[in-house]
Amino acid sequence: ALCLDEQSGKVFFGTDGGLYVISGTRRSFLTGGRWLPSPRVICLACDGKGGVWAGTENGIAHLEMISMTLEEKAAHFEELADKYHKREDYFVPRALTEPGNIESGAPQITDNDGLWTANYIVSEACRYAVTGADDALNKARASFKALIRLHDVTGIPGFPARAYRRPGEPGYGNGHPEWHLTSDEKGELEWLGETSSDEIMGHFFGLSYYRDLVADEKEKELIAQKIKAMTDHIIAHNYTVCDIDGLPTTWGRWSPELLNRDDMWRWERGVNSLELLTILKTAFVVTNDRKYDDLYYSFIENEKYAINSARHKMRDGHSCHVDDHLSTYVTLTILRYEKNPAVLRYLLAGLKDFWNYEKIERCPYWSVLFGAFSDECCDLDRAVKSLEELPLDLINYPVKNSFRELEWTDDAVEYGGVRQLKEPLAYDEKPVNGYDCNPFIADGGNALEAAEPTIFLLPYWLGRYFGLLGD
């Protein structure tokens, strides 16, 4: 099926696997699931306004292209977050009970409620810094209080929970050994331990931006207390996060005995070194306690943690993206505080090395990070294009692209990955995932999942805050 819209010059070409849209030099491929009732397009009719009616085996779809600014799109995602992703002021992915129906299901209790909420706090803090909007202040403050509750619920100073759940919520009382019974002002609840390094670093990320852009003096004192408690906990337990059983959690480890002298931790050496430096630098800035600064320089001079950080991105055939996401908000934290040119040289070298390897992803988050702290090209035009392409509906509909003539690589197989694309697809063609997921996968998706809107809000408002993006 073929349709030419004479007014806009767009060409629509229907296939057995989806719909091609050609507009000038831009080509898009829209698959079944998100865009069409089924992949096979039988007939097409242009609507005369730049859109198209597409008839498929399972029904008819009307696709229209609307114009909006990035700020208007951000307002849309703000509304989406408030309506579908808010749970006690935590902002998390939504688990659906009916495929594709955002009204069904509920916000999901995850292993990283603190981290996802920290992303939202930073988004709102930056929005407040840019616009002065009262609702940005109120939203940031409410989620800040939620983040603090994760510290208080465990009863262990410096050890925040990953999440908590109340009676009647999914999984409550199932006997899982990492969920621990306690109580708060609303009654009994369970909190989740085994807190990871990325969850800890999410707290440093969210609390530091909130402190600098939003907090009043009383809140700054509270933040200093919580950051001090986390840092002291880590130092007291030989640079690990220790759980309720007194044992280190699986990934909350930063000691030089592991990072520098145990080859099993070679892959974490760079990023975990960067994390510990960020912990100590942030603790010094918010508390002004010289002991943290002394430890900071001790790890730089005696254990070479700054040198380790200069190549924190391991070459992995683009198979693992969890540490990519982790290193981003760690870097966004420490580079705002580090002023020593000698140390900064190593940190910026690590950022540039990360960017040179990862810029192929066309990720707006990576572009904003590199542009904020570098005077080099950060592919801002490609970042804007990605923000434009991100669907307004963040349900992770299944997509299938592997039948197309695309370039593939086996580079990731060596590292335990799978055969994947040489370059990621456009954001409106691939599965909707967070930045800790693999964008090089051609097929995938689950219509029972809806990603949290900080996928757009965080890079957009960070970009506005750092003066890289307009409205």
Side-chain angles (χ1 to χ4, degrees):
L2 180 66
C3 178
L4 170 63
D5 186 276
E6 295 183 357
Q7 191 170 27
S8 66
K10 293 177 181 175
V11 178
F12 302 93
F13 182 62
T15 73
D16 286 344
L19 176 68
Y20 282 97
V21 182
I22 303 173
S23 179
T25 60
R26 179 176 177 179
R27 298 187 179 190
S28 300
F29 181 75
L30 308 180
T31 63
R34 170 175 299 284
W35 304 110
L36 304 166
S38 62
R40 186 166 181 259
V41 179
I42 299 172
C43 58
L44 294 169
C46 296
D47 66 5
K49 302 176 183 178
V52 67
W53 292 90
T56 75
E57 292 178 321
N58 290 342
I60 298 173
H62 181 216
L63 303 176
E64 59 179 339
M65 287 64 173
I66 60 175
S67 177
M68 64 173 60
T69 65
L70 291 178
E71 189 166 24
E72 289 171 338
K73 194 169 185 177
H76 163 79
F77 285 123
E78 286 280 347
E79 182 179 349
L80 212 62
D82 287 339
K83 192 172 182 180
Y84 299 115
H85 295 269
K86 183 178 178 181
R87 173 186 167 269
E88 296 194 14
D89 293 314
Y90 298 99
F91 284 83
V92 293
R94 187 176 181 89
L96 311 182
T97 54
E98 299 175 24
N101 181 7
I102 191 67
E103 298 287 346
S104 70
Q108 190 175 6
I109 299 171
T110 76
D111 287 350
N112 292 108
D113 282 11
L115 173 55
W116 307 139
T117 301
N119 287 343
Y120 183 78
I121 291 170
V122 175
S123 302
E124 294 303 309
C126 289
R127 182 163 77 95
Y128 177 67
V130 170
T131 67
D134 287 340
D135 69 317
L137 169 65
N138 294 334
K139 289 177 179 180
R141 179 155 287 149
S143 289
F144 161 70
K145 292 177 181 177
L147 199 65
I148 293 298
R149 284 201 296 274
L150 292 176
H151 289 256
D152 296 338
V153 74
T154 67
I156 305 172
F159 182 71
R162 284 179 175 269
Y164 63 76
R165 59 194 182 193
R166 300 189 184 278
E169 292 190 302
Y172 183 89
N174 65 4
H176 191 287
E178 293 298 346
W179 285 91
H180 310 285
L181 189 65
T182 186
S183 63
D184 70 353
E185 70 280 1
K186 295 182 180 180
E188 287 192 335
L189 53 77
E190 291 179 325
W191 59 268
L192 179 60
E194 181 58 7
T195 304
S196 61
S197 58
D198 52 343
E199 187 71 5
I200 291 292
M201 299 314 304
H203 282 258
F204 276 83
F205 180 47
L207 293 177
S208 65
Y209 273 79
Y210 184 86
R211 171 191 179 270
D212 296 343
L213 304 183
V214 177
D216 58 29
E217 290 306 313
K218 185 176 180 180
E219 289 170 329
K220 287 180 180 179
E221 291 178 9
L222 179 59
I223 289 169
Q225 292 171 13
K226 297 305 181 183
I227 285 181
K228 174 179 172 57
M230 283 192 291
T231 308
D232 287 348
H233 173 98
I234 290 166
I235 294 170
H237 293 91
N238 192 27
Y239 301 98
T240 66
V241 175
C242 263
D243 212 327
I244 193 171
D245 58 6
L247 298 176
T249 63
T250 302
W251 298 110
R253 307 189 185 204
W254 299 278
S255 73
E257 289 77 20
L258 293 180
L259 301 188
N260 284 346
R261 293 181 274 283
D262 185 343
D263 203 49
M264 291 290 290
W265 285 80
R266 179 174 62 90
W267 284 83
E268 288 76 29
R269 180 176 299 149
V271 69
N272 282 33
S273 294
L274 181 62
E275 290 168 25
L276 184 61
L277 294 183
T278 302
I279 289 168
L280 295 171
K281 174 58 71 174
T282 306
F284 172 63
V285 170
V286 304
T287 68
N288 202 32
D289 188 330
R290 181 61 60 183
K291 75 176 182 181
Y292 301 120
D293 202 41
D294 291 342
L295 280 171
Y296 179 78
Y297 281 103
S298 175
F299 274 94
I300 288 173
E301 295 168 6
N302 300 324
E303 296 293 349
K304 313 304 180 189
Y305 271 34
I307 294 176
N308 292 348
S309 301
R311 184 101 183 238
H312 60 77
K313 175 56 197 173
M314 298 293 287
R315 272 50 180 172
D316 57 2
H318 297 286
S319 61
C320 178
H321 301 270
V322 174
D323 281 354
D324 299 340
H325 184 229
L326 170 56
S327 67
T328 302
Y329 50 83
V330 174
T331 304
L332 278 164
T333 303
I334 192 170
L335 284 182
R336 292 172 56 245
Y337 291 148
E338 182 52 74
K339 306 302 179 185
N340 184 325
V343 178
L344 202 56
R345 188 176 303 118
Y346 291 106
L347 301 180
L348 291 175
L351 172 60
K352 185 172 183 178
D353 182 67
F354 170 86
W355 167 252
N356 285 336
Y357 190 71
E358 294 292 355
K359 63 183 177 182
I360 191 174
E361 293 189 17
R362 196 157 61 84
C363 171
Y365 197 12
W366 307 165
S367 290
V368 167
L369 167 64
F370 190 65
F373 300 104
S374 167
D375 57 2
E376 299 183 36
C377 174
C378 65
D379 290 353
L380 200 57
D381 55 337
R382 301 176 76 194
V384 169
K385 185 179 180 184
S386 294
L387 291 173
E388 291 174 348
E389 292 170 349
L390 189 68
L392 293 173
D393 175 353
L394 296 181
I395 296 174
N396 189 18
Y397 289 99
V399 299
K400 187 174 180 63
N401 293 284
S402 55
F403 66 91
R404 298 166 59 186
E405 292 185 6
L406 302 168
E407 289 190 74
W408 297 79
T409 176
D410 291 321
D411 289 351
V413 175
E414 179 182 351
Y415 301 97
V418 298
R419 185 171 183 260
Q420 59 189 34
L421 296 174
K422 189 173 182 180
E423 294 190 18
L425 295 168
Y427 274 64
D428 52 4
E429 298 180 10
K430 62 186 180 182
V432 174
N433 288 309
Y435 300 124
D436 57 339
C437 297
N438 191 341
F440 295 86
I441 301 299
D443 303 335
N446 181 352
L448 291 173
E449 301 171 346
E452 69 278 8
T454 52
I455 294 174
F456 182 96
L457 294 173
L458 185 57
Y460 174 69
W461 286 113
L462 277 168
R464 290 287 302 273
Y465 171 68
F466 285 114
L468 297 169
L469 296 175
D471 57 5

